[in-house]
Amino acid sequence: MSPTPSPEVTANGSARDREIIAARVIVTCPGRNFVTLKIETRSGISGIGDATLNGRELAVAAYLQEHVVPNLIGRDAGRIEDIWQFLYRGAYWRRGPVTMTAIAAVDMALWDILGKLAGMPVYQLLGGRSREGALVYCHANGRDISETTEQVGAYIEQGFLAVRAQCGVPGVKKAYGISTAGKPYEPAESELPAETVWSTPKYLEIVPQLFERLRADHGTGVELLHDAHHRLTPIEAARLARSLEPYRMFWLEDATPAENQKSFEIIRQHSVTPLAVGEVFNSIWDCKHLIENQLIDYIRTTIVHGGGITHLRRLADFAALHQVRTGFHGATDLSPVCMGAALHFDTWVPNFGIQEYMFHSDEANEVFPHDYYFREGRLHCGESAGHGVTIDEKLAARYPYAPKQLPIARLEDGSMWDW
Ligand code: KDG
Ligand code: MG
């Protein structure tokens, strides 16, 4: 894409030009559901924000349409901070994934508009470039150890410097993160939640074997990551973290559920494996204890579920004081709009660690044209004004919403567990 600003940038950006005259929610399903907010200003400049909350998409769409859009009309799109505070404090209830995703969508769209008005990419508005590209990790999801190591090898060949590795668990039918043969992994696959069965002892048996094999096959030149996806108790998580130490992990993610932030103290007491957490967090308050007590190394909360660029900037600065780095969530249920905004943030943020990169389908990439690109293990944001992602609304209309929910997990005796 050309680095020259789009023609709409020629508007002069006075308060009258910046007046919000319309905002609407677009729900589309190019392979999976996405919710997008589009805000239009009097100048003709518009911006978009991602509002996708996997499995609960219409809750955010209704929150935006019914409770946020009427409050935006007539406001100055340049007052990003004030609009954030208005939506956060003004709702009275504060926080929660639905509210914070809705606020994030508005915030992303406003930064996009500001960038277009200024004729600058968002990373420049944030303070400029701190790096040439954002180190990313992709997913190897084999049905067994051999398939996973093969996939890791293929990604290294393609230039990836970091890979998250998961594998099937013998005796567990549908382990987290594993693709059905030949299909890209996408967990929200049915209208009602798929029931899966979980066994922690079987899982704890296989994971160290997987990483032993990966280091034997690929050496130490590649960064390796793993996601336990909230399945373990704190002491089980400590055991896994310790057993993975010989394989020098980049991180172990979501080792235990983090509602009780003190749980991570138990893992820290037993292991030096770096820890990442936060994709289900939506505010700085969810990770305050974890960060100020240096119980984690990477914070994964990203733009769309964490109140937008405005709130994430605050969180990242707080994390920097405690040497915690960012490692933003980037699964396919976060739209290319979120990825675009995240990459501008990653390009600026001083305490950047890594960015997750799960590939969107061709249909999703066509609905959301963007200027970010992958080269030599890194994603690079583009130079166009704003966050560099747009929406083809005509194409989006061809993919109607299709209700889909995430799976659930039960233990072998039928008890409900964390998926
Ligand atoms: O919607 C849930 C997914 O985003 C989540 O399961 C993906 O854990 C995930 C990851 O690390 O990408
Ligand atoms: Mg995860």
Side-chain angles (χ1 to χ4, degrees), residues 199-255:
S199 162
T200 296
K202 289 172 182 156
Y203 166 79
L204 287 179
E205 204 56 42
I206 191 89
V207 179
Q209 294 175 34
L210 169 66
F211 285 92
E212 184 182 15
R213 171 78 179 273
L214 294 179
R215 282 297 178 215
D217 289 359
H218 307 291
T220 49
V222 60
E223 299 292 357
L224 294 176
L225 302 85
H226 182 73
D227 189 350
H229 219 257
H230 328 266
R231 307 283 169 98
L232 306 176
T233 64
I235 199 68
E236 290 164 349
R239 185 180 137 201
L240 178 63
R242 185 191 274 186
S243 69
L244 292 177
E245 281 174 7
Y247 315 116
R248 197 190 56 73
M249 304 294 290
F250 186 92
W251 79 33
L252 171 62
E253 177 187 338
D254 288 339

Side-chain angles (χ1 to χ4, degrees), residues 24-25 35-37 49-51 58-72 87 98 101-106:
R24 65 178 180 285
V25 180
V35 180
T36 308
L37 177 71
D50 182 18
L58 298 187
V60 186
Y63 188 108
L64 282 167
Q65 198 61 61
E66 303 298 325
H67 306 292
V68 173
V69 167
N71 283 304
L72 293 177
L87 293 173
V98 174
T101 302
I103 295 177
V106 174

Side-chain angles (χ1 to χ4, degrees), residues 268 291 294 296-298 316-326 351:
R268 274 292 206 233
I291 289 175
Q294 297 184 306
I296 54 169
D297 302 279
Y298 298 93
D317 281 342
F318 175 59
L321 299 180
H322 303 279
Q323 302 206 26
V324 173
R325 283 133 74 93
T326 63
N351 47 325

Side-chain angles (χ1 to χ4, degrees), residues 98-164:
V98 174
T99 297
M100 295 304 274
T101 302
I103 295 177
V106 174
D107 190 74
M108 252 178 273
L110 295 182
W111 281 95
D112 193 24
I113 289 171
L114 189 66
K116 289 172 180 173
L117 282 165
M120 287 182 190
V122 166
Y123 78 80
Q124 199 67 62
L125 299 178
L126 289 169
R129 192 177 275 286
S130 295
R131 59 194 52 79
E132 295 315 314
L135 175 70
V136 293
Y137 70 90
C138 60
H139 291 193
N141 305 321
R143 284 166 297 172
D144 55 24
I145 291 180
S146 301
E147 208 171 86
T148 301
T149 192
E150 234 173 74
Q151 289 181 17
V152 170
Y155 284 129
I156 295 171
E157 286 280 300
Q158 288 171 38
F160 282 92
L161 305 169
V163 185
R164 185 189 95 165

